[in-house]
Amino acid sequence: CPTDRTADTPLLRGGTQPTHSLHTPLLTSSTSDMPYNTGWSVFPKEIAINMEKALGGGNLLEVVSVVRGTLKKASNAPVSIAVTGDSSNGMSSFINALHEEEDSAPTGVVRTTQIPTRAAIQSLENYMEEMKFSQYDLFIIIASEQFSMNLVKLAKTIQGLGKRFYVIWTKLDRDLSRSAFLEERLLKNIRENIRETLQKEEVCEPNIFLVSSLEPLLHDFPKLRGTLHRDISDIRYHGPLQSLSHTYEKAIKDKVTTCKGKIASKSFDTLGIWNADDLEESLMAYCLLFGVDDESLQQMAQSMGKPMEEYRAIMKSQDLYTILREDWPLSCMNCNIVSCLYSILRYIPLLGDFIFNSLRKWKHRHLLEIVAKDTRAILKKILRQSII
């Protein structure tokens, strides 16, 4: 059974520490009617379909619309935060201080519901199973006076779940009033003790915040609020961004496969190419197919509120000169000597025709891959810039 903490327990004393009962987590989340969850274990099918359709048609303007709509909905997704720790550690005061200024409270941390706490919890394992720890996105571990072994085990389990967690040391005002150390020395001692205690159990160092619930504008409270804002945003967007990335990667891969099939069958006209030996014409056709031609880029950049050059600058396929300057295999294949050799090979029966067609197909496949790679780079930039 858990043992009670005595009044003369020193601040973060060394050695084996007693275990204490843990508070039931406080579920903190925003409310939303949107059918999205922070994990996005099920990505809405219509979004994937719309994304694939837009990319299939080379319509980057529509891609931007899909991305923005998706991330806007994700910005309203609830984030579940468990606030837990040893008994009598100032948890309620901390929660109240965090919500004291409504405008500064992180989006998604709006309402707090406390489930009645049991008088004692026989085992940490039962506690975590009963509280369904896997449903939470982020954990805040509250501690004061000492960092107990219960909290160390809790941190290790959370780390095993692959979840984020903070360690919040509360009642700092009391510690400062009782300590003979200077403030800077005391704060350093507390941080080092927490780190060392966790490292002994092979727990990676989490974010550690030393706060006073009575003075939320001092010490690490402002830093905590800022970190919480960023992490909640990251949690909300992580799943959607991964799903959108997977969707556009698949759509581009499928389009490349289709185009390569047409190249293999020499159906260049279906790709908008009338002279397959003209690399400049071919490049323009492939850029148009993927929606990274100048006109499409201009429209997309305007909708993003960015200069077009910001996107063209990351493209290797912005023009044939740039490709031939930076891509030596294609440059070699397009040099005057090789071009003359092509002309000669074309008039050699069978073998010459086979070699000539094989080299032409290679050039087109290579050009296609360059354009596809540039498209991925632009889409990656769009996703990053679209986060609200």
Side-chain angles (χ1 to χ4, degrees):
C1 293
T3 58
D4 292 326
R5 192 184 290 142
T6 58
D8 59 350
T9 301
L11 179 68
L12 287 173
R13 68 183 181 189
T16 304
Q17 300 175 6
T19 57
H20 307 283
S21 62
L22 294 171
H23 279 300
T24 300
L26 302 178
L27 176 61
T28 310
S29 66
S30 68
T31 55
S32 173
D33 296 328
M34 303 308 301
Y36 298 87
N37 58 63
T38 52
W40 278 51
S41 54
V42 179
F43 188 65
K45 190 175 180 180
E46 65 273 16
I47 292 178
I49 292 173
N50 290 340
M51 185 80 157
E52 290 174 0
K53 184 178 178 181
L55 285 170
N59 190 343
L60 283 190
L61 202 58
E62 181 60 27
V63 169
V64 170
S65 177
V66 173
V67 168
R68 281 182 167 170
T70 303
L71 296 182
K72 184 177 180 180
K73 291 174 182 176
S75 70
N76 294 319
V79 175
S80 297
I81 302 174
V83 180
T84 186
D86 289 331
S87 58
S88 304
N89 56 12
M91 184 184 299
S92 297
S93 298
F94 166 76
I95 293 293
N96 291 335
L98 189 63
H99 291 278
E100 191 175 46
E101 298 177 30
E102 186 176 349
D103 291 340
S104 65
T107 303
V109 185
V110 178
R111 299 179 182 178
T112 302
T113 304
Q114 182 171 7
I115 307 169
T117 307
R118 292 177 55 182
I121 297 181
Q122 298 301 321
S123 74
L124 186 61
E125 291 75 16
N126 291 342
Y127 167 72
M128 290 184 289
E129 183 178 349
E130 182 179 336
M131 293 303 106
K132 296 182 173 61
F133 266 35
S134 60
Q135 76 179 8
Y136 298 101
D137 302 297
L138 186 148
F139 294 81
I140 294 178
I141 299 176
I142 304 292
S144 64
E145 291 189 55
Q146 63 178 345
F147 200 71
S148 71
M149 288 309 299
N150 254 357
L151 299 185
V152 174
K153 292 177 182 177
L154 184 62
K156 190 169 185 176
T157 301
I158 294 170
Q159 178 179 279
L161 293 172
K163 301 294 181 96
R164 306 176 194 221
F165 69 96
Y166 306 157
V167 171
I168 311 293
W169 185 269
T170 60
K171 301 185 180 180
L172 191 57
D173 51 297
R174 182 199 58 187
D175 300 332
L176 290 168
S177 67
R178 293 181 179 180
S179 175
F181 293 120
L182 294 175
E183 179 176 333
E184 185 178 351
R185 174 70 182 278
L186 177 65
L187 300 185
K188 183 179 179 182
N189 286 350
I190 295 174
R191 290 183 191 279
E192 288 181 350
N193 193 286
I194 294 173
R195 290 192 186 102
E196 290 172 5
T197 304
L198 290 171
Q199 286 173 358
K200 288 176 183 177
E201 295 297 321
E202 300 180 343
V203 177
C204 296
E205 182 182 332
N207 282 310
I208 300 172
F209 301 97
L210 312 183
V211 305
S212 166
S213 298
L214 299 179
E215 300 175 292
L217 295 180
L218 301 181
H219 310 297
D220 289 340
F221 231 118
K223 183 181 176 183
L224 165 63
R225 280 200 175 101
T227 304
L228 202 51
H229 270 291
R230 290 191 298 271
D231 280 352
I232 286 175
S233 177
D234 189 48
I235 289 168
R236 280 176 167 155
Y237 292 128
H238 178 72
L241 286 174
Q242 276 196 328
S243 297
L244 287 168
S245 296
H246 175 76
T247 300
Y248 80 62
E249 285 286 354
K250 180 181 180 300
I252 291 174
K253 184 179 179 180
D254 289 346
K255 192 161 188 172
V256 167
T257 300
T258 300
C259 289
K260 283 184 176 179
K262 293 180 178 181
I263 291 171
S265 64
K266 295 189 284 188
S267 304
F268 292 103
D269 58 326
T270 61
L271 298 172
I273 300 170
W274 309 109
N275 182 2
D277 295 323
D278 187 336
L279 285 187
E280 189 166 2
E281 178 191 332
S282 301
L283 174 62
M284 291 176 63
Y286 290 132
C287 286
L288 189 61
L289 278 172
F290 281 86
V292 292
D293 57 290
D294 284 351
E295 184 178 349
S296 298
L297 281 179
Q298 181 62 51
Q299 292 175 351
M300 184 273 296
Q302 188 174 355
S303 107
M304 292 292 294
K306 305 288 182 180
M308 184 181 73
E309 285 304 317
E310 187 171 320
Y311 301 97
R312 289 192 89 249
I314 62 175
M315 293 176 60
K316 189 176 180 180
S317 60
Q318 53 186 277
D319 54 57
L320 186 60
Y321 172 77
T322 302
I323 291 179
L324 295 178
R325 184 185 61 198
E326 299 181 6
D327 192 285
W328 68 266
L330 193 60
S331 181
C332 289
M333 290 294 178
N334 203 56
C335 69
N336 292 332
I337 296 175
V338 176
S339 296
C340 290
L341 185 59
Y342 287 163
S343 301
I344 296 171
L345 287 174
R346 294 186 68 175
Y347 297 101
I348 300 176
L350 299 178
L351 179 62
D353 190 54
F354 172 78
I355 294 175
F356 176 79
N357 285 322
S358 297
L359 291 174
R360 185 169 63 179
K361 289 176 184 177
W362 178 88
K363 286 196 288 184
H364 275 268
R365 287 195 297 266
H366 195 66
L367 205 60
L368 177 67
E369 290 287 0
I370 291 172
V371 175
K373 185 177 180 180
D374 284 347
T375 306
R376 291 187 186 96
I378 289 173
L379 289 171
K380 184 177 180 180
K381 192 174 185 71
I382 289 173
L383 289 190
R384 188 168 61 248
Q385 293 177 334
S386 296
I387 295 177
I388 301 168

